[in-house]
Amino acid sequence: MENVPLSHLEQRLIAHLQLLYPDLDNVELAKKCLATFHLDPMTETPRPHRNIWDQSDIMLITYADTLRREGEAPLETLHKFVKNKLSDSISAVHLLPFFPYSSDDGFSVMDYTTVNPSCGKWDHVSALSKDFKVMGDLVINHCSSRSMWFENFKAGVDPGASFFYEADPNADLSAVVRPRTSPLLREVQTKNGEKHVWCTFSHDQIDLNFENPNVLLEFLRIIRLYLEKGIRWFRLDAVAFLWKIPGTTSINLPQTHEMIRLLRLMIEHYAPDAVIITETNIPNQENLTYFGNANEAHLIYNFSLPPLLINSLVTGNCSHLKQWLMSMPPAQQGTTYLNFLASHDGIGLRPTEGLLSEWELETLINTMKRFGGKLSARTTPQGESKPYEINISLWNALSGSAQQGPDQWQFARFLCATGVMMALEGVPALYIHSLFGTENDMERVSNTGHFRSINRHIWDMEDLDHALNTNTHHQKVFQSVTKLTQIRRAQPAFHPNATQYILHMGENLFAFWRQSLDRRQSLFAVYNMTDQPQSFNLSELNLIATDVWMDLVTEQIYEDHLGKVTLMPYQFVWLANKKGKIKIN
């Protein structure tokens, strides 16, 4: 029988597998991968460097059960809310883990294939995916110690017998980089004796062993299920820690990047409109490597943005923010940044390494503590405890300045921060509590004993409806933020890959220029980052003399192109030569 030549897809898949599993029969493994994924080897390769997004894309980040109504599945409550209240404002919903879990608010997954009954059913997820793009979490580094896999590991049966990464407790693991202070290894009694399993995060989160190709095959089944249920955007949680080699840092290893390339190859052949986002809360230069050569993540989280922008707004000095953005490479076509200011986690501090001095970082931490924030730590390879993240709601984080403390400019400061995020190169992502101006939930922290609970408030829909329909700061925040989203979605100059150029207007004014891909719309975004009025001359912006320039936020026309503009504390303008038309997906 004549040998059938390998398809282009098979050849590419085998190349990735050979780097990950050099001792295996990778032709056979490639066939298993394709069969598991229900993927025809002759599937056509998607065109590279495609932008699968535009300026209308804005993401909402939320837990499946953040909004609750008595007698209704939370996923159904969420779907109704976003459809009725946010159809003009967002295009995508990031559903944080909605699976059965044992700890960490969903990130200790017990079963990747079922929806937590307290949230709803797969039908609810699929229904949401018909109205919005849905991003799901692929918690790929670890799973729960109460999962069936780990029970099988202890019993020595499959699936699971060799699914978890084991290490010798006498090995030199001092170089390992991780974000926690707990011991790295957990001792476990199994049918085959005492074992020591690797726990990057907590002892309830056991790291998976991707050196075993059966773990890869299991995750391909899981990803295929998510695709079948309508999920198209995939967040690879904590993926930087995926591959371990004792004696190394066990973070950002070449095998990890290779695995991401393999997963992308499979996912985009199955669904050319699918998007991969890597969640790597690490120093900025390391984070950028996850773009690969436009063949790894489509999007990477802009982790340095939250701490640097918040620092600028509480100090009144945007020098570090400006310097960082000037050093950031424009994303290649087919890749872009995910910009966010708040999430279910805290404000990561590792991404400030090399960007803020120790004194500046200490000032930021002390300011956030003054506003009710908490500080979480990590352990360095040298055994030191170092600040890892600040736990605080965005509303509270922006309640005052480092110099004066809480003041009357909280709302203006909050809207200014949102306005910066909305206008920068990339896709903006709004944490649901940033839509409402939700305050620190100290009661939840007290109940759970976890600092991250401070920004994971659960809203009863009756309370939320009342807050959004009466004269509260929640109503004001919601109306103002959704107005900004609607303006943003109409502007071609806010396309995630449109040109961006940072302007030099001193340390108090933060400014940049965006230009649409077709060069027809130019937009100057200028922000007062201080609690004092600040002025600038329009001549500094080099406005095209033949165009009519309008602030999209206030709709004020600026006829005198050489005139002086005074911005009140935290006021900003989006000056454009054309007003775009809304494009709703």
Side-chain angles (χ1 to χ4, degrees):
M1 185 177 168
E2 210 175 296
N3 282 340
V4 179
L6 295 169
S7 69
H8 181 57
L9 172 57
E10 286 173 308
Q11 291 175 41
R12 290 179 64 190
L13 180 55
I14 289 165
H16 292 307
L17 291 169
Q18 282 175 338
L19 289 166
L20 292 165
Y21 308 108
D23 301 328
L24 298 182
D25 178 349
N26 285 302
V27 174
E28 185 59 32
L29 182 54
K31 292 183 185 303
K32 280 186 183 177
C33 288
L34 292 169
T36 299
F37 215 61
H38 295 182
L39 198 54
D40 185 337
M42 303 308 294
T43 302
E44 193 175 327
T45 298
R47 183 172 53 84
H49 301 289
R50 295 168 301 128
N51 293 328
I52 321 171
W53 45 76
D54 62 21
Q55 62 272 14
S56 69
D57 280 304
I58 297 178
M59 181 176 286
L60 177 73
I61 306 168
T62 181
Y63 279 104
D65 63 349
T66 294
L67 307 181
R68 293 183 185 174
R69 180 178 277 117
E70 196 173 339
E72 189 170 73
L75 275 166
E76 189 178 349
T77 306
L78 175 68
H79 188 181
K80 286 179 182 175
F81 180 82
V82 293
K83 190 172 181 178
N84 294 336
K85 300 284 190 181
L86 297 174
S87 284
D88 293 341
S89 298
I90 66 164
S91 63
V93 178
H94 171 198
L95 284 180
L96 289 156
F98 49 83
F99 317 104
Y101 68 95
S102 55
S103 65
D104 198 17
D105 281 352
F107 286 91
S108 295
V109 179
M110 293 167 63
D111 181 355
Y112 291 86
T113 63
T114 61
V115 175
N116 191 330
S118 67
C119 294
K121 304 174 183 175
W122 274 119
D123 286 351
H124 294 125
V125 177
S126 297
L128 182 63
S129 74
K130 288 179 172 59
D131 293 321
F132 300 89
K133 298 168 187 174
V134 172
M135 180 160 87
D137 269 279
L138 195 64
V139 185
I140 197 167
N141 179 69
H142 52 262
C143 75
S144 168
S145 66
R146 290 173 51 196
S147 64
M148 182 193 73
W149 290 348
F150 197 62
E151 290 300 321
N152 287 353
F153 171 81
K154 290 187 286 187
V157 298
D158 284 320
S162 51
F163 272 24
F164 297 91
Y165 196 88
E166 300 172 44
D168 179 352
N170 298 314
D172 182 5
L173 303 174
S174 60
V176 173
V177 171
R178 50 195 293 265
R180 297 291 184 271
T181 54
S182 57
L184 174 62
L185 301 183
R186 172 184 164 180
E187 185 182 305
V188 183
Q189 296 301 324
T190 76
K191 182 186 173 186
N192 299 313
E194 186 179 279
K195 308 256 187 187
H196 291 84
V197 291
W198 191 290
C199 302
T200 298
F201 292 90
S202 79
H203 282 194
D204 185 41
Q205 295 165 302
I206 318 296
D207 283 38
L208 292 152
N209 180 17
F210 274 85
E211 288 180 19
N212 177 354
N214 289 323
V215 175
L216 168 61
L217 291 171
E218 201 65 54
F219 269 90
L220 289 177
R221 286 187 193 94
I222 291 163
I223 294 168
R224 190 193 76 221
L225 171 67
Y226 295 177
L227 285 162
E228 289 169 353
K229 299 300 184 183
I231 291 170
R232 285 294 178 271
W233 288 41
F234 291 85
R235 177 184 183 268
L236 304 189
D237 176 62
V239 71
F241 304 97
L242 185 74
W243 204 274
K244 293 90 169 127
I245 300 178
T248 73
T249 59
S250 294
I251 188 172
N252 307 323
L253 295 183
Q255 293 90 337
T256 294
H257 288 278
E258 199 63 45
M259 185 63 75
I260 295 169
R261 290 191 278 270
L262 186 157
L263 293 177
R264 170 158 173 176
L265 178 75
M266 299 290 285
I267 290 170
E268 70 181 3
H269 274 78
Y270 187 101
D273 60 337
V275 172
I276 287 178
I277 301 182
T278 50
E279 188 267 332
T280 49
N281 190 356
I282 51 180
N284 191 54
Q285 292 305 309
E286 296 171 29
N287 191 28
L288 288 168
T289 65
Y290 283 86
F291 278 138
N293 185 23
N295 61 352
E296 292 185 35
H298 293 89
L299 284 81
I300 62 171
Y301 277 79
N302 230 342
F303 273 110
S304 295
L305 179 61
L308 290 181
L309 180 52
I310 290 168
N311 182 69
S312 296
L313 286 162
V314 298
T315 62
N317 186 324
C318 65
S319 301
H320 292 305
L321 177 66
K322 188 164 59 175
Q323 189 177 359
W324 163 66
L325 281 168
M326 286 168 59
S327 73
M328 291 289 278
Q332 290 188 57
Q333 297 296 317
T335 67
T336 193
Y337 298 100
L338 188 76
N339 295 321
F340 72 108
L341 295 181
S343 73
H344 62 292
D345 289 341
I347 301 162
L349 298 178
R350 288 215 70 200
T352 68
E353 290 176 16
L355 301 173
L356 293 181
S357 69
E358 282 195 26
W359 176 81
E360 288 165 325
L361 184 58
E362 191 178 337
T363 301
L364 176 62
I365 290 168
N366 288 336
T367 303
M368 294 301 100
K369 284 182 174 178
R370 191 176 178 185
F371 300 157
K374 304 291 183 182
L375 182 68
S376 298
R378 68 181 179 92
T379 301
T380 68
Q382 294 73 37
E384 298 175 78
S385 179
K386 281 206 156 188
Y388 177 67
E389 70 176 16
I390 298 165
N391 303 110
I392 192 169
S393 80
L394 185 63
W395 177 252
N396 286 90
L398 297 171
S399 58
S401 69
Q403 297 86 355
Q404 305 296 328
D407 60 21
Q408 73 269 39
W409 302 113
Q410 184 174 17
F411 170 76
R413 198 180 283 112
F414 185 90
L415 200 62
C416 182
T418 306
V420 171
M421 180 191 71
M422 288 280 180
L424 286 172
E425 174 190 355
V427 174
L430 282 161
Y431 187 40
I432 193 164
H433 292 301
S434 301
L435 268 181
F436 310 140
T438 309
E439 302 100 327
N440 290 339
D441 191 338
M442 302 311 298
E443 185 181 347
R444 192 166 170 80
V445 172
S446 180
N447 290 340
T448 65
H450 299 297
F451 287 162
R452 283 180 168 176
S453 298
I454 200 169
N455 200 22
R456 297 179 180 179
H457 180 71
I458 302 292
W459 275 99
D460 176 81
M461 278 308 299
E462 273 190 37
D463 294 339
L464 181 60
D465 287 339
H466 183 262
L468 297 183
N469 290 302
T470 52
N471 186 22
T472 62
H473 81 268
H474 302 295
Q475 182 191 57
K476 195 175 177 184
V477 166
F478 185 75
Q479 290 176 349
S480 300
V481 171
T482 52
K483 180 188 173 187
L484 284 184
T485 62
Q486 290 157 23
I487 296 170
R488 181 224 145 76
R489 299 186 79 195
Q491 314 311 320
F494 283 151
H495 187 286
N497 295 86
T499 298
Q500 176 173 289
Y501 186 79
I502 305 300
L503 304 176
H504 296 278
M505 297 181 71
E507 63 184 32
N508 302 138
L509 290 171
F510 177 56
F512 51 90
W513 171 67
R514 303 291 311 274
Q515 186 182 52
S516 60
L517 296 175
D518 64 7
R519 300 192 174 190
R520 295 178 64 188
Q521 188 187 42
S522 276
L523 199 154
F524 292 90
V526 186
Y527 305 80
N528 178 0
M529 307 296 276
T530 76
D531 57 7
Q532 300 297 317
Q534 301 289 336
S535 300
F536 67 95
N537 294 313
L538 287 173
S539 58
E540 296 179 60
L541 302 182
N542 297 321
L543 301 179
I544 300 167
T546 54
D547 288 348
V548 176
W549 292 86
M550 180 177 80
D551 173 20
L552 299 174
V553 181
T554 62
E555 300 194 345
Q556 180 181 343
I557 304 289
Y558 287 84
E559 293 179 352
D560 181 0
H561 294 180
L562 303 177
K564 187 177 185 179
V565 176
T566 299
L567 297 178
M568 297 309 290
Y570 306 105
Q571 185 186 353
F572 62 95
V573 291
W574 287 347
L575 285 174
N577 63 340
K578 296 182 187 304
K579 185 178 180 182
K581 292 183 179 177
I582 188 70
K583 177 188 173 186
I584 301 296
N585 288 351

